[in-house]
Amino acid sequence: MGGAGRYVVLYDADCPVCRALLVWLLRRDRAHRLEPLALQTPEAADLLADLTPAERMASWHLVEPSGKRFSGGAALAPVLSLLPGWGVPAAVLERLPWLADRGYGLVAAHRSTLSAALRATRRRGTGP
């Protein structure tokens, strides 16, 4: 875990929205700088040892190779900056962190509804 130059993306493996967004990120990560790690693993607990289990599961997290951690909306700008073609949106979110927080909050607040929609789309064979 956390190979040289790799950024660890900690996500909820039980959340269909989280998994779909992770797939989206990994497909765009041509340099293979992102390393996915489910929040439910012992490795994630070790990496986020300063957080309570509830704090760990409250959002997704990005851990840089240096060990610096970003959580929730604050992780959007740094992760997008790693993806080819996403530098401008990353710069906007870095300058407007409230926008990233609000967007993340909206998705997190509607995770159940979005997950149900993803499952229905997959059952029809039209989803990711």
Side-chain angles (χ1 to χ4, degrees):
M1 177 182 63
R6 304 260 328 227
Y7 293 72
V8 180
V9 178
L10 295 116
Y11 69 98
D12 182 352
D14 295 331
C15 169
V17 172
C18 303
R19 290 191 315 266
L21 292 172
L22 177 69
V23 166
W24 184 91
L25 283 172
L26 294 176
R27 284 184 180 158
R28 283 151 185 81
D29 178 26
R30 291 188 216 135
H32 306 287
R33 296 178 72 188
L34 301 176
E35 181 176 339
L37 181 62
L39 284 164
Q40 293 84 349
T41 64
E43 295 85 3
D46 290 344
L47 198 56
L48 303 174
D50 62 313
L51 300 178
T52 67
E55 289 171 327
R56 288 181 210 137
M57 295 303 296
S59 67
W60 77 302
H61 312 273
L62 177 71
V63 179
E64 293 184 337
S66 68
K68 184 174 181 181
R69 180 181 64 232
F70 301 89
S71 299
L76 291 173
V79 78
L80 290 178
S81 72
L82 298 170
L83 305 177
W86 287 86
V88 171
V92 169
L93 292 176
E94 189 173 323
R95 286 183 174 79
L96 303 171
W98 63 267
L99 186 60
D101 288 338
R102 183 157 301 160
Y104 180 81
L106 282 170
V107 171
H110 296 89
R111 212 162 67 151
S112 297
T113 302
L114 293 168
S115 292
L118 276 173
R119 283 191 290 274
T121 301
R122 286 194 180 119
R123 277 195 295 273
R124 288 193 306 268
T126 58

